[in-house]
């Protein structure tokens, strides 16, 4: 199954076009490799998705072409969720 379709059907990302944009920006990895929206995923693949200041790591548990809202939680398992440290801009002191 295509990555963008899985993200939409599983409701990890609400719209397929948004899933494609996130993938095209290089914010998704599959098993440690940067993934395109067209990347094929399979059961037990590990996805790492960066949402702003948060990184979510999930494992693919089930692939379905269509899923009801109640079934989507069975499609993946959240392995970890971590907040990224906000990096403060570094100013160079020209007078030093």
């Amino acid at each position: 199954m295509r990555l963008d379709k899985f993200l939409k059907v599983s409701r990890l990302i609400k719209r397929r076009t948004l899933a494609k944009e996130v993938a095209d920006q290089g914010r998704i990895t599959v098993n440690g490799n940067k993934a395109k929206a067209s990347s094929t995923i399979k059961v037990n693949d590990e996805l790492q998705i960066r949402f702003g200041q948060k990184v979510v790591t999930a494992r693919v548990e089930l692939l379905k072409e269509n899923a009801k809202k109640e079934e989507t939680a069975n499609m993946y398992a959240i392995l970890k969720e971590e907040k990224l440290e906000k990096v403060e801009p570094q100013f160079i002191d020209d007078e030093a």
Side-chain angles (χ1 to χ4, degrees), residues 3-22 28 49 51 67 69 72 76:
L3 174 62
D4 57 347
K5 181 159 184 171
F6 174 79
L7 293 171
K8 180 206 176 280
V9 172
S10 68
R11 291 183 170 84
L12 277 168
I13 296 180
K14 291 186 191 282
R15 292 188 324 262
R16 192 166 176 176
T17 53
L18 184 58
K20 182 181 180 334
E21 287 174 22
V22 171
I28 302 176
I49 309 163
F51 296 103
K69 193 174 186 178
T72 59
Y76 60 89

Side-chain angles (χ1 to χ4, degrees), residues 55-96:
V55 176
V56 175
T57 304
R59 182 178 54 242
V60 178
E61 298 285 326
L62 177 69
L63 297 175
K64 291 184 92 172
E65 290 296 317
N66 298 304
K68 293 180 180 169
K69 193 174 186 178
E70 304 81 41
E71 301 171 326
T72 59
N74 300 328
M75 294 183 70
Y76 60 89
I78 300 292
L79 302 178
K80 67 179 171 180
E81 245 180 85
E82 52 192 333
K83 271 194 151 182
L84 294 175
E85 296 280 327
K86 194 168 186 177
V87 178
E88 294 297 322
Q90 300 290 324
F91 295 103
I92 300 171
D93 189 2
D94 291 334
E95 297 174 16

